[in-house]
Amino acid sequence: MFEVLIDQFWSLTLAGISLGFIYVLVSLGYTMVYGVLRMINFANSEIFMWGTFGTIITSRDIFGYTQTSAPATGGKLALVLISQLIMSMAVAGLTAIFVEYVAYRRLRAKGTNRLATLISAIGISIVLSELMRLLTDSRPVGSPRVLEKIILTEVWGANIRLDTIVTIFAAALIYFLLERFVQLSRMGKAIRAVSMNEDAAKLMGVNLNRVITTTFLVGGLATGAAAFFYITVFEYSKFNIGFTMGMAAFTAAVLGGIGNIRGAFYGGLFLGLLEVYASAVLGTQWKAVTVFIVLVLVLLFKPNGLFGEAVQTTRA
Amino acid sequence: MKKRIQISLAIATALAITLTGCSSSDDAAENTFTIAYQGPLSGGEASTGTDEQNAVKYAIELFMEANPEYTIELVSVDDQGDPAVASTVAPGTAANEKILGIVGPAYSGATIASLPFYKDGGLVMISPSATRVSITDPATPDFGGPVFHRVVGKDDKQGPALAKYATDGVANAKVFVVDDQSSYAVPLREYVEAGLKSVAGASLVGGDSVINTATDYAPTIAKIKTSGANVVIYTGYYSAAAIFVKQLRDSGSKAVFAGGDGVFNQEFPKLAGAAAEDSRITGVGGLAGISADLEADFQEKMGVSSGVYSVESFDAANILLEGIKAGNTTRETMLAWVKAYEGTSVSGNTIKFDENGDISYGLFAGFTTKDGVLVNTGIIK
């Protein structure tokens, strides 16, 4: 039962960490919005999906890569990857702002109850995914390989691959930058102020609408970055990939304590590792079962997630 | 705004009534007949349904060109390939008395969900791609007789063919089989594993079951490496197969990658790129494999290339169209016509259904990826 885990431990661990970092960034999209609005942004999964297409379009249509062209090298490689990252973040960020304008802002101004915005968010996520379905004729879209998946070295029997390393370090860096932004910048402070007490923040002169738009933007940027890494690793997208990713990232956010940026970090990594270990030990068909049993157990003992509401100051 | 909608609806209804009124008095209307296509036309599996329906449309177009006195109408029934959706659209299809026969449903699960309604309506079905064995097995509750027929081979023929093709020429083949948890892939995996027993020198070393929405195959690949497998057979569909084979190759594995007709789609090498090279896929030859002229004509008329199950869909539509031409213009006579049908497939095989609705042939061809295209290597014997 454990022979695969023992035999391939470091390969699995690396795969789990890189998957985990993708979860971390997507779950930021959920956790940021929840922290400020106390509402789940159900459209975040589709924001992610749109980001993946932004990444693919950059390499395929702007730089003209095809499935058969050779991967980029040197300066060109850096240029293409950074353009893809920027494009993906821009597409996802703008989609997030669009979602906020259409599904949240007006209803919020009218003072509707939370369920109305919940439905409008689900509605816009269906619109986003069906629109992409129509644009792509329901077909899956492969991404040309830009970053060659060279095996750099072998450590303890595990292949250390370039794309895994890039994903882990770049995603960690982006997470760190976003976290610092929320902690240190003036806007970040405003976001946290609104999160702690909306009315008090308003009385202190915080522009609520701008804070909320920025929150959506930051969540969207993180999700867009995740979409870029996802494409770099898996090289594949389809109009319906958002659902599975959204489910996983939302689970990660709840596991870590939704509304808490650090919670998203630990929740994402924990989930990534849990998924690969559970699949290796019990069989992939047990992955979802194991993940949700663990989630229920965690919530049973820590109802607010691993980091929950206890860490007020780090909350988004 | 509301008023305007109401007015336009009223006009549309009036027009519709006038038009139907006109056409029923028209001479041509006596030669207007309706058949249906059922399959996934929207949702995640829509490409299969669209490909099949295009072949049906093509058959209708050729028929109307050759027989200008007939007008054939096609009703598109979209079941999204999903049994739950099928059970909501099938009653309406069964109740539409104009429909003389159905090409489809495309998928086995949707077929089983639709069956009770079509049995009640006495509506004959010819599926181009529902391969689950139980549908033509009278001993199971899924049995589709007397209305169900198919012009595609069953999975109990495909499984052993796939096992044989995947291990062909591999000395001391150690096989690892992966399914995608779908009702198509799980039984096919069982038939593959059963078929492996009769392949000399081959042994089954492991397996895994990965849901088809997954994109991370790292745990499965870890298992493959631990098992020491040199042949990996995937029984799910092409889009997941493409993700899987890429990750398998990126991990440094050189094992033979093989798949069933779910992987049989030219999108597979397009999605997987170089990783798909030399993959071994069982499938059914397309129109292009039969004649380049036929494919060229198809492309000209339909504006796209022929896709998966185009031969089967084309054959199925032709059986119904020939039936209409032979004067079988009620559901009852059409069902009898199909049951007694004997004709030639565009592939050259003789189509004749046995008492459970299966055709006599159903040989699977082996395909391998060469330079990004699936190339037919001939029937697997």
PDB file of all heavy atoms in Angstrom, chain A residues 41-68:
ATOM      1  N   ASN A  41     -16.768  34.658  -3.763  1.00  0.00           N
ATOM      2  CA  ASN A  41     -16.763  35.042  -5.166  1.00  0.00           C
ATOM      3  C   ASN A  41     -16.824  33.775  -6.022  1.00  0.00           C
ATOM      4  O   ASN A  41     -15.810  33.221  -6.419  1.00  0.00           O
ATOM      5  CB  ASN A  41     -15.502  35.844  -5.479  1.00  0.00           C
ATOM      6  CG  ASN A  41     -15.439  36.238  -6.926  1.00  0.00           C
ATOM      7  OD1 ASN A  41     -16.415  36.096  -7.652  1.00  0.00           O
ATOM      8  ND2 ASN A  41     -14.280  36.718  -7.349  1.00  0.00           N
ATOM      9  N   PHE A  42     -18.034  33.346  -6.321  1.00  0.00           N
ATOM     10  CA  PHE A  42     -18.183  32.093  -7.053  1.00  0.00           C
ATOM     11  C   PHE A  42     -17.646  32.169  -8.472  1.00  0.00           C
ATOM     12  O   PHE A  42     -17.433  31.155  -9.108  1.00  0.00           O
ATOM     13  CB  PHE A  42     -19.644  31.650  -7.078  1.00  0.00           C
ATOM     14  CG  PHE A  42     -20.003  30.867  -5.867  1.00  0.00           C
ATOM     15  CD1 PHE A  42     -20.751  31.411  -4.853  1.00  0.00           C
ATOM     16  CD2 PHE A  42     -19.534  29.561  -5.731  1.00  0.00           C
ATOM     17  CE1 PHE A  42     -21.043  30.681  -3.716  1.00  0.00           C
ATOM     18  CE2 PHE A  42     -19.834  28.830  -4.603  1.00  0.00           C
ATOM     19  CZ  PHE A  42     -20.590  29.392  -3.593  1.00  0.00           C
ATOM     20  N   ALA A  43     -17.450  33.383  -8.969  1.00  0.00           N
ATOM     21  CA  ALA A  43     -16.959  33.510 -10.336  1.00  0.00           C
ATOM     22  C   ALA A  43     -15.447  33.354 -10.413  1.00  0.00           C
ATOM     23  O   ALA A  43     -14.879  33.329 -11.499  1.00  0.00           O
ATOM     24  CB  ALA A  43     -17.389  34.849 -10.914  1.00  0.00           C
ATOM     25  N   ASN A  44     -14.775  33.193  -9.259  1.00  0.00           N
ATOM     26  CA  ASN A  44     -13.315  33.145  -9.292  1.00  0.00           C
ATOM     27  C   ASN A  44     -12.796  31.980 -10.137  1.00  0.00           C
ATOM     28  O   ASN A  44     -11.771  32.091 -10.798  1.00  0.00           O
ATOM     29  CB  ASN A  44     -12.756  33.045  -7.875  1.00  0.00           C
ATOM     30  CG  ASN A  44     -11.307  33.452  -7.811  1.00  0.00           C
ATOM     31  OD1 ASN A  44     -10.918  34.478  -8.349  1.00  0.00           O
ATOM     32  ND2 ASN A  44     -10.487  32.613  -7.199  1.00  0.00           N
ATOM     33  N   SER A  45     -13.534  30.851 -10.134  1.00  0.00           N
ATOM     34  CA  SER A  45     -13.107  29.692 -10.932  1.00  0.00           C
ATOM     35  C   SER A  45     -13.078  30.054 -12.416  1.00  0.00           C
ATOM     36  O   SER A  45     -12.192  29.615 -13.149  1.00  0.00           O
ATOM     37  CB  SER A  45     -14.055  28.527 -10.685  1.00  0.00           C
ATOM     38  OG  SER A  45     -15.396  28.948 -10.822  1.00  0.00           O
ATOM     39  N   GLU A  46     -14.036  30.867 -12.850  1.00  0.00           N
ATOM     40  CA  GLU A  46     -14.081  31.225 -14.275  1.00  0.00           C
ATOM     41  C   GLU A  46     -13.069  32.318 -14.593  1.00  0.00           C
ATOM     42  O   GLU A  46     -12.563  32.400 -15.704  1.00  0.00           O
ATOM     43  CB  GLU A  46     -15.488  31.650 -14.683  1.00  0.00           C
ATOM     44  CG  GLU A  46     -16.581  30.665 -14.288  1.00  0.00           C
ATOM     45  CD  GLU A  46     -16.233  29.213 -14.568  1.00  0.00           C
ATOM     46  OE1 GLU A  46     -15.662  28.932 -15.644  1.00  0.00           O
ATOM     47  OE2 GLU A  46     -16.517  28.348 -13.722  1.00  0.00           O
ATOM     48  N   ILE A  47     -12.763  33.151 -13.574  1.00  0.00           N
ATOM     49  CA  ILE A  47     -11.693  34.132 -13.753  1.00  0.00           C
ATOM     50  C   ILE A  47     -10.386  33.388 -14.032  1.00  0.00           C
ATOM     51  O   ILE A  47      -9.612  33.741 -14.910  1.00  0.00           O
ATOM     52  CB  ILE A  47     -11.573  35.022 -12.494  1.00  0.00           C
ATOM     53  CG1 ILE A  47     -12.827  35.886 -12.366  1.00  0.00           C
ATOM     54  CG2 ILE A  47     -10.320  35.882 -12.541  1.00  0.00           C
ATOM     55  CD1 ILE A  47     -12.943  36.627 -11.047  1.00  0.00           C
ATOM     56  N   PHE A  48     -10.194  32.302 -13.294  1.00  0.00           N
ATOM     57  CA  PHE A  48      -9.022  31.447 -13.499  1.00  0.00           C
ATOM     58  C   PHE A  48      -9.006  30.894 -14.928  1.00  0.00           C
ATOM     59  O   PHE A  48      -7.998  30.969 -15.630  1.00  0.00           O
ATOM     60  CB  PHE A  48      -9.057  30.294 -12.488  1.00  0.00           C
ATOM     61  CG  PHE A  48      -8.054  29.213 -12.756  1.00  0.00           C
ATOM     62  CD1 PHE A  48      -6.737  29.365 -12.374  1.00  0.00           C
ATOM     63  CD2 PHE A  48      -8.440  28.051 -13.404  1.00  0.00           C
ATOM     64  CE1 PHE A  48      -5.812  28.365 -12.639  1.00  0.00           C
ATOM     65  CE2 PHE A  48      -7.527  27.058 -13.676  1.00  0.00           C
ATOM     66  CZ  PHE A  48      -6.210  27.216 -13.285  1.00  0.00           C
ATOM     67  N   MET A  49     -10.155  30.371 -15.349  1.00  0.00           N
ATOM     68  CA  MET A  49     -10.238  29.763 -16.681  1.00  0.00           C
ATOM     69  C   MET A  49      -9.923  30.798 -17.768  1.00  0.00           C
ATOM     70  O   MET A  49      -9.195  30.510 -18.716  1.00  0.00           O
ATOM     71  CB  MET A  49     -11.630  29.146 -16.835  1.00  0.00           C
ATOM     72  CG  MET A  49     -11.898  28.440 -18.136  1.00  0.00           C
ATOM     73  SD  MET A  49     -12.595  29.522 -19.379  1.00  0.00           S
ATOM     74  CE  MET A  49     -14.188  29.920 -18.690  1.00  0.00           C
ATOM     75  N   TRP A  50     -10.456  32.018 -17.607  1.00  0.00           N
ATOM     76  CA  TRP A  50     -10.154  33.060 -18.594  1.00  0.00           C
ATOM     77  C   TRP A  50      -8.664  33.394 -18.591  1.00  0.00           C
ATOM     78  O   TRP A  50      -8.090  33.667 -19.629  1.00  0.00           O
ATOM     79  CB  TRP A  50     -11.019  34.303 -18.356  1.00  0.00           C
ATOM     80  CG  TRP A  50     -12.365  34.146 -18.989  1.00  0.00           C
ATOM     81  CD1 TRP A  50     -13.363  33.326 -18.559  1.00  0.00           C
ATOM     82  CD2 TRP A  50     -12.828  34.750 -20.196  1.00  0.00           C
ATOM     83  NE1 TRP A  50     -14.430  33.398 -19.427  1.00  0.00           N
ATOM     84  CE2 TRP A  50     -14.136  34.274 -20.433  1.00  0.00           C
ATOM     85  CE3 TRP A  50     -12.271  35.670 -21.090  1.00  0.00           C
ATOM     86  CZ2 TRP A  50     -14.884  34.666 -21.544  1.00  0.00           C
ATOM     87  CZ3 TRP A  50     -13.039  36.068 -22.187  1.00  0.00           C
ATOM     88  CH2 TRP A  50     -14.332  35.569 -22.407  1.00  0.00           C
ATOM     89  N   GLY A  51      -8.070  33.355 -17.424  1.00  0.00           N
ATOM     90  CA  GLY A  51      -6.626  33.599 -17.327  1.00  0.00           C
ATOM     91  C   GLY A  51      -5.827  32.568 -18.118  1.00  0.00           C
ATOM     92  O   GLY A  51      -4.870  32.906 -18.815  1.00  0.00           O
ATOM     93  N   THR A  52      -6.249  31.288 -18.046  1.00  0.00           N
ATOM     94  CA  THR A  52      -5.506  30.252 -18.780  1.00  0.00           C
ATOM     95  C   THR A  52      -5.565  30.533 -20.282  1.00  0.00           C
ATOM     96  O   THR A  52      -4.579  30.341 -20.986  1.00  0.00           O
ATOM     97  CB  THR A  52      -6.070  28.839 -18.526  1.00  0.00           C
ATOM     98  OG1 THR A  52      -7.430  28.783 -18.947  1.00  0.00           O
ATOM     99  CG2 THR A  52      -5.973  28.434 -17.074  1.00  0.00           C
ATOM    100  N   PHE A  53      -6.710  31.015 -20.742  1.00  0.00           N
ATOM    101  CA  PHE A  53      -6.794  31.314 -22.176  1.00  0.00           C
ATOM    102  C   PHE A  53      -5.952  32.542 -22.531  1.00  0.00           C
ATOM    103  O   PHE A  53      -5.376  32.600 -23.620  1.00  0.00           O
ATOM    104  CB  PHE A  53      -8.255  31.472 -22.615  1.00  0.00           C
ATOM    105  CG  PHE A  53      -8.932  30.150 -22.823  1.00  0.00           C
ATOM    106  CD1 PHE A  53      -9.666  29.549 -21.821  1.00  0.00           C
ATOM    107  CD2 PHE A  53      -8.789  29.476 -24.034  1.00  0.00           C
ATOM    108  CE1 PHE A  53     -10.263  28.309 -22.015  1.00  0.00           C
ATOM    109  CE2 PHE A  53      -9.376  28.243 -24.235  1.00  0.00           C
ATOM    110  CZ  PHE A  53     -10.121  27.658 -23.226  1.00  0.00           C
ATOM    111  N   GLY A  54      -5.866  33.498 -21.608  1.00  0.00           N
ATOM    112  CA  GLY A  54      -4.977  34.642 -21.830  1.00  0.00           C
ATOM    113  C   GLY A  54      -3.541  34.174 -22.026  1.00  0.00           C
ATOM    114  O   GLY A  54      -2.821  34.646 -22.908  1.00  0.00           O
ATOM    115  N   THR A  55      -3.122  33.199 -21.199  1.00  0.00           N
ATOM    116  CA  THR A  55      -1.771  32.661 -21.297  1.00  0.00           C
ATOM    117  C   THR A  55      -1.553  31.972 -22.643  1.00  0.00           C
ATOM    118  O   THR A  55      -0.546  32.194 -23.321  1.00  0.00           O
ATOM    119  CB  THR A  55      -1.551  31.621 -20.177  1.00  0.00           C
ATOM    120  OG1 THR A  55      -1.974  32.187 -18.953  1.00  0.00           O
ATOM    121  CG2 THR A  55      -0.104  31.222 -20.099  1.00  0.00           C
ATOM    122  N   ILE A  56      -2.526  31.151 -23.033  1.00  0.00           N
ATOM    123  CA  ILE A  56      -2.368  30.386 -24.277  1.00  0.00           C
ATOM    124  C   ILE A  56      -2.336  31.319 -25.481  1.00  0.00           C
ATOM    125  O   ILE A  56      -1.495  31.180 -26.377  1.00  0.00           O
ATOM    126  CB  ILE A  56      -3.511  29.356 -24.428  1.00  0.00           C
ATOM    127  CG1 ILE A  56      -3.415  28.311 -23.322  1.00  0.00           C
ATOM    128  CG2 ILE A  56      -3.458  28.684 -25.797  1.00  0.00           C
ATOM    129  CD1 ILE A  56      -4.514  27.274 -23.344  1.00  0.00           C
ATOM    130  N   ILE A  57      -3.244  32.313 -25.469  1.00  0.00           N
ATOM    131  CA  ILE A  57      -3.306  33.228 -26.622  1.00  0.00           C
ATOM    132  C   ILE A  57      -1.990  33.982 -26.789  1.00  0.00           C
ATOM    133  O   ILE A  57      -1.520  34.184 -27.901  1.00  0.00           O
ATOM    134  CB  ILE A  57      -4.514  34.187 -26.452  1.00  0.00           C
ATOM    135  CG1 ILE A  57      -5.795  33.412 -26.771  1.00  0.00           C
ATOM    136  CG2 ILE A  57      -4.392  35.407 -27.349  1.00  0.00           C
ATOM    137  CD1 ILE A  57      -7.062  34.138 -26.413  1.00  0.00           C
ATOM    138  N   THR A  58      -1.364  34.338 -25.667  1.00  0.00           N
ATOM    139  CA  THR A  58      -0.095  35.067 -25.760  1.00  0.00           C
ATOM    140  C   THR A  58       0.970  34.257 -26.484  1.00  0.00           C
ATOM    141  O   THR A  58       1.624  34.752 -27.403  1.00  0.00           O
ATOM    142  CB  THR A  58       0.405  35.430 -24.350  1.00  0.00           C
ATOM    143  OG1 THR A  58      -0.653  36.076 -23.670  1.00  0.00           O
ATOM    144  CG2 THR A  58       1.603  36.334 -24.426  1.00  0.00           C
ATOM    145  N   SER A  59       1.142  32.985 -26.094  1.00  0.00           N
ATOM    146  CA  SER A  59       2.204  32.212 -26.738  1.00  0.00           C
ATOM    147  C   SER A  59       1.793  31.777 -28.140  1.00  0.00           C
ATOM    148  O   SER A  59       2.591  31.786 -29.066  1.00  0.00           O
ATOM    149  CB  SER A  59       2.566  30.992 -25.883  1.00  0.00           C
ATOM    150  OG  SER A  59       1.434  30.181 -25.689  1.00  0.00           O
ATOM    151  N   ARG A  60       0.516  31.425 -28.305  1.00  0.00           N
ATOM    152  CA  ARG A  60       0.089  30.834 -29.572  1.00  0.00           C
ATOM    153  C   ARG A  60      -0.160  31.899 -30.643  1.00  0.00           C
ATOM    154  O   ARG A  60       0.290  31.764 -31.773  1.00  0.00           O
ATOM    155  CB  ARG A  60      -1.186  30.025 -29.331  1.00  0.00           C
ATOM    156  CG  ARG A  60      -1.584  29.141 -30.495  1.00  0.00           C
ATOM    157  CD  ARG A  60      -2.944  28.530 -30.250  1.00  0.00           C
ATOM    158  NE  ARG A  60      -3.971  29.576 -30.134  1.00  0.00           N
ATOM    159  CZ  ARG A  60      -5.241  29.334 -29.793  1.00  0.00           C
ATOM    160  NH1 ARG A  60      -5.628  28.109 -29.501  1.00  0.00           N
ATOM    161  NH2 ARG A  60      -6.117  30.318 -29.707  1.00  0.00           N
ATOM    162  N   ASP A  61      -0.880  32.954 -30.261  1.00  0.00           N
ATOM    163  CA  ASP A  61      -1.288  33.917 -31.283  1.00  0.00           C
ATOM    164  C   ASP A  61      -0.385  35.140 -31.362  1.00  0.00           C
ATOM    165  O   ASP A  61      -0.189  35.693 -32.428  1.00  0.00           O
ATOM    166  CB  ASP A  61      -2.746  34.335 -31.051  1.00  0.00           C
ATOM    167  CG  ASP A  61      -3.674  33.137 -31.116  1.00  0.00           C
ATOM    168  OD1 ASP A  61      -3.428  32.262 -31.972  1.00  0.00           O
ATOM    169  OD2 ASP A  61      -4.614  33.042 -30.312  1.00  0.00           O
ATOM    170  N   ILE A  62       0.163  35.568 -30.233  1.00  0.00           N
ATOM    171  CA  ILE A  62       1.017  36.753 -30.291  1.00  0.00           C
ATOM    172  C   ILE A  62       2.433  36.369 -30.700  1.00  0.00           C
ATOM    173  O   ILE A  62       3.034  36.977 -31.576  1.00  0.00           O
ATOM    174  CB  ILE A  62       1.000  37.505 -28.943  1.00  0.00           C
ATOM    175  CG1 ILE A  62      -0.436  37.973 -28.652  1.00  0.00           C
ATOM    176  CG2 ILE A  62       1.969  38.689 -28.983  1.00  0.00           C
ATOM    177  CD1 ILE A  62      -0.614  38.704 -27.356  1.00  0.00           C
ATOM    178  N   PHE A  63       2.960  35.295 -30.060  1.00  0.00           N
ATOM    179  CA  PHE A  63       4.332  34.905 -30.388  1.00  0.00           C
ATOM    180  C   PHE A  63       4.402  33.801 -31.442  1.00  0.00           C
ATOM    181  O   PHE A  63       5.474  33.407 -31.875  1.00  0.00           O
ATOM    182  CB  PHE A  63       5.077  34.470 -29.125  1.00  0.00           C
ATOM    183  CG  PHE A  63       5.426  35.630 -28.241  1.00  0.00           C
ATOM    184  CD1 PHE A  63       4.622  35.962 -27.159  1.00  0.00           C
ATOM    185  CD2 PHE A  63       6.548  36.396 -28.498  1.00  0.00           C
ATOM    186  CE1 PHE A  63       4.931  37.044 -26.346  1.00  0.00           C
ATOM    187  CE2 PHE A  63       6.862  37.481 -27.690  1.00  0.00           C
ATOM    188  CZ  PHE A  63       6.061  37.813 -26.615  1.00  0.00           C
ATOM    189  N   GLY A  64       3.237  33.287 -31.829  1.00  0.00           N
ATOM    190  CA  GLY A  64       3.195  32.332 -32.941  1.00  0.00           C
ATOM    191  C   GLY A  64       3.765  30.951 -32.664  1.00  0.00           C
ATOM    192  O   GLY A  64       4.220  30.279 -33.586  1.00  0.00           O
ATOM    193  N   TYR A  65       3.750  30.522 -31.415  1.00  0.00           N
ATOM    194  CA  TYR A  65       4.218  29.160 -31.125  1.00  0.00           C
ATOM    195  C   TYR A  65       3.145  28.154 -31.528  1.00  0.00           C
ATOM    196  O   TYR A  65       1.952  28.419 -31.412  1.00  0.00           O
ATOM    197  CB  TYR A  65       4.535  28.990 -29.639  1.00  0.00           C
ATOM    198  CG  TYR A  65       5.872  29.567 -29.276  1.00  0.00           C
ATOM    199  CD1 TYR A  65       5.990  30.887 -28.869  1.00  0.00           C
ATOM    200  CD2 TYR A  65       7.012  28.790 -29.379  1.00  0.00           C
ATOM    201  CE1 TYR A  65       7.219  31.433 -28.563  1.00  0.00           C
ATOM    202  CE2 TYR A  65       8.250  29.321 -29.078  1.00  0.00           C
ATOM    203  CZ  TYR A  65       8.347  30.648 -28.670  1.00  0.00           C
ATOM    204  OH  TYR A  65       9.563  31.161 -28.381  1.00  0.00           O
ATOM    205  N   THR A  66       3.571  26.983 -31.987  1.00  0.00           N
ATOM    206  CA  THR A  66       2.623  25.916 -32.290  1.00  0.00           C
ATOM    207  C   THR A  66       3.017  24.681 -31.490  1.00  0.00           C
ATOM    208  O   THR A  66       4.060  24.678 -30.831  1.00  0.00           O
ATOM    209  CB  THR A  66       2.644  25.557 -33.789  1.00  0.00           C
ATOM    210  OG1 THR A  66       3.963  25.064 -34.088  1.00  0.00           O
ATOM    211  CG2 THR A  66       2.316  26.744 -34.655  1.00  0.00           C
ATOM    212  N   GLN A  67       2.182  23.656 -31.610  1.00  0.00           N
ATOM    213  CA  GLN A  67       2.465  22.421 -30.873  1.00  0.00           C
ATOM    214  C   GLN A  67       3.785  21.803 -31.297  1.00  0.00           C
ATOM    215  O   GLN A  67       4.396  21.055 -30.559  1.00  0.00           O
ATOM    216  CB  GLN A  67       1.335  21.403 -31.084  1.00  0.00           C
ATOM    217  CG  GLN A  67       0.063  21.731 -30.357  1.00  0.00           C
ATOM    218  CD  GLN A  67       0.159  21.520 -28.857  1.00  0.00           C
ATOM    219  OE1 GLN A  67       1.219  21.226 -28.322  1.00  0.00           O
ATOM    220  NE2 GLN A  67      -0.939  21.696 -28.169  1.00  0.00           N
ATOM    221  N   THR A  68       4.203  22.105 -32.522  1.00  0.00           N
ATOM    222  CA  THR A  68       5.414  21.447 -33.018  1.00  0.00           C
ATOM    223  C   THR A  68       6.650  22.336 -32.945  1.00  0.00           C
ATOM    224  O   THR A  68       7.751  21.876 -33.209  1.00  0.00           O
ATOM    225  CB  THR A  68       5.208  21.006 -34.480  1.00  0.00           C
ATOM    226  OG1 THR A  68       4.658  22.103 -35.202  1.00  0.00           O
ATOM    227  CG2 THR A  68       4.265  19.832 -34.569  1.00  0.00           C
TER     228      THR A  68
END
